[in-house]
Amino acid sequence: MKLKLLELTDDKARILFEGEGNTYIDALAAELIHDPQVDVAQRKQAFRFTDPELVVTTVGDRPPLLAVTDAAKRLSGYAGELLSQMEALETA
């Protein structure tokens, strides 16, 4: 996955996810909304054949890139928990 930072301000980030489908960006946007300091987390895509873009705006003094990083870590943790549970099922 290749990321391209299109815009960054104190309370807004626009990140292009080159070569990525909608599934991961949708999950990331949904996870971002759980952060009380995230105002907007939205996937944008001009056409089906273009790369998706994630737009994040924050409130307070929360940096948008930190909010994205934290949400990605939470998603990774959920995946790790799922893998552990699946491995336990295989050995049962």
Side-chain angles (χ1 to χ4, degrees), residues 5-39:
L5 189 58
L6 301 175
E7 178 183 353
L8 180 61
T9 65
D10 289 342
D11 64 348
K12 181 179 180 180
R14 288 179 45 229
I15 306 166
L16 185 71
F17 287 74
E18 292 183 1
E20 189 62 39
N22 296 331
T23 305
Y24 182 74
I25 288 80
D26 287 343
L28 186 57
E31 185 60 34
L32 276 160
I33 290 300
H34 294 294
D35 186 330
Q37 289 185 300
V38 171
D39 185 38

Side-chain angles (χ1 to χ4, degrees), residues 5-82:
L5 189 58
L6 301 175
E7 178 183 353
L8 180 61
T9 65
D10 289 342
D11 64 348
K12 181 179 180 180
R14 288 179 45 229
I15 306 166
L16 185 71
F17 287 74
E18 292 183 1
E20 189 62 39
N22 296 331
T23 305
Y24 182 74
I25 288 80
D26 287 343
L28 186 57
E31 185 60 34
L32 276 160
I33 290 300
H34 294 294
D35 186 330
Q37 289 185 300
V38 171
D39 185 38
V40 173
Q42 179 183 27
R43 176 187 53 83
K44 296 175 84 178
Q45 191 169 9
F47 302 101
R48 290 189 59 73
F49 56 85
T50 60
D51 292 322
E53 175 184 324
L54 179 67
V55 178
V56 178
T57 60
T58 56
V59 294
D61 57 354
R62 178 102 161 121
L65 292 182
L66 182 59
V68 173
T69 300
D70 290 346
K73 287 178 183 177
R74 288 192 301 273
L75 284 178
S76 178
Y78 302 151
E81 290 174 23
L82 177 62

